[in-house]
Amino acid sequence: MTLPNIHLEFGKRKYVVHIDKKICHDHLLREYCDQENLGDVVIITDENLALHYRGLLEGFKSIVVPSGEPSKTLNAYASVLEKMVEFGITRKGLVLAFGGGVIGDLAGFVAATYMRGIRLIQVPTTLLAMVDSSIGGKVAVNLPNGKNLVGTFYQPDVVHINPNFLKTLPKREWSNGIAEVIKYAVGFDASLMDLLENAMEEHLEVMIYKCVKIKADIVMQDEKDEGIRNLLNFGHTLGHAIEHYYDYARFLHGEAVAIGIAAKTRIAFQEQLISAVELSRVLNLLRKYDLPTSLEAHSLHAVLSGIKHDKKAASDKAIWIGLKSLGELEVRTCSSEEAIELFSGGLRDKQDL
């Protein structure tokens, strides 16, 4: 199936998202770089991908970091910058981010800041990165105090999505990405729920396209996260607090977001915004893909105290995304204490049907 390219425009700046099973795979990556005359390319990737796609990386300058969230630190960022200098990368160089969300964030932040900014290409290899993190230009690293606290907005020159990379994705990473798809389904396009409940893998490319199109349309209206783009954070205020509390070791990003989605859906049910049937449908969909939907009672207060460090927080106010109805979200504001009490009820599964 040939899907149309998705174009993103920000004034004079613009780029294209390609969804193609041929591009940037095996020897075609080298051919692509030569055809496009990309110049001095450095690939930033992780240990797992460097081992699995050793042939693809041959002939390129490459920087390999440990796999997982621990590589999204200031120390890892500084090490990559130092390696860029050792390679002699100039302002005419190009960073090719080859990996999942962690690599996209780290490599993107490197590209945004090295010599005040050089070119960037995103080649996402996980479902989460394909449908979410590679699109829209958010790049960042973590601090001990919280997730993505050091970063900027830096749009890539192009994004190449090749669904064939998903063939080697571990089951847990697959579910990790599905959580973001469920975010789009519950918050923006309920037709995606039908795909997820039935023959999703037969329509994988269409599913990816729908998610990218939703995000692209929103990001073009609000590049810097000052308005409507906040809606894309559905499930993330809680998700980031959960990740941080467990030191990024117990839950993957999508798993933590899934708990956040479940909590916000329960809150919508408690407020009589959705029906019992709709609540069950969302929770059953999360469980279908082996995603968690609640937290143990003993950890609730400690986890929820982390929302005070969320990037979206303003003074003592918590800014979070609520579910108005299936397919419709809203930005909500309340005190941090009120949010903690509200979220605490949403994180428990006692009322699940």
Side-chain angles (χ1 to χ4, degrees), residues 5-17 135-136 155-157 215-224 229:
N5 294 329
I6 297 173
H7 298 263
L8 286 85
E9 297 186 10
F10 306 90
K12 294 182 179 180
R13 295 171 296 123
K14 57 184 67 176
Y15 66 95
V16 176
V17 179
I135 313 298
Q155 303 297 341
D157 290 61
K215 183 160 189 180
D217 289 345
I218 290 174
V219 167
M220 282 191 288
Q221 297 176 63
D222 177 23
E223 181 183 9
K224 298 295 178 66
R229 185 170 180 169

Side-chain angles (χ1 to χ4, degrees), residues 32-33 37-44 61 84 89-97 111 118-122 157-158:
Y32 166 76
C33 291
N37 193 27
L38 296 182
D40 205 3
V41 177
V42 58
I43 295 177
I44 299 178
K61 296 173 181 175
M84 298 274 287
I89 303 299
T90 69
R91 294 186 70 178
K92 293 183 179 181
L94 181 147
V95 168
L96 192 151
I118 64 175
R119 293 171 297 160
L120 169 68
I121 290 178
Q122 292 275 8
D157 290 61
V158 65

Side-chain angles (χ1 to χ4, degrees), residues 333-347:
T333 304
C334 61
S335 71
S336 296
E337 288 71 24
E338 289 173 317
I340 288 172
E341 183 176 352
L342 196 61
F343 294 169
S344 180
L347 284 167

Side-chain angles (χ1 to χ4, degrees), residues 32 50 54 80 83 132 163 179 187 237 259-260 268 271 276 284 287 317:
Y32 166 76
R54 187 181 300 128
V80 172
K83 193 69 175 178
D132 189 68
T237 300
I259 297 172
E271 296 178 340
N284 288 337
R287 292 164 182 152
K317 299 291 186 181

Side-chain angles (χ1 to χ4, degrees), residues 277-325:
V277 171
E278 290 171 320
L279 170 62
S280 291
R281 189 181 183 196
V282 174
L283 295 175
N284 288 337
L285 189 57
L286 290 165
R287 292 164 182 152
K288 172 182 170 70
Y289 292 98
D290 297 321
L291 289 163
T293 60
S294 62
L295 279 181
E296 303 91 340
H298 67 81
S299 62
L300 290 182
H301 188 271
V303 168
L304 291 171
S305 65
I307 67 173
K308 296 178 181 179
H309 301 293
D310 186 78
K311 301 185 302 302
K312 299 178 292 301
S315 186
D316 65 338
K317 299 291 186 181
I319 300 172
W320 56 282
I321 308 305
L323 181 64
K324 289 180 68 176
S325 63

Side-chain angles (χ1 to χ4, degrees), residues 12-38:
K12 294 182 179 180
R13 295 171 296 123
K14 57 184 67 176
Y15 66 95
V16 176
V17 179
H18 300 280
I19 301 175
D20 188 335
K21 286 186 175 179
K22 294 181 181 179
I23 195 72
C24 292
H25 201 267
D26 298 332
H27 65 285
L28 295 176
L29 180 58
R30 178 78 270 172
E31 290 180 12
Y32 166 76
C33 291
D34 291 342
Q35 288 172 1
E36 296 295 318
N37 193 27
L38 296 182

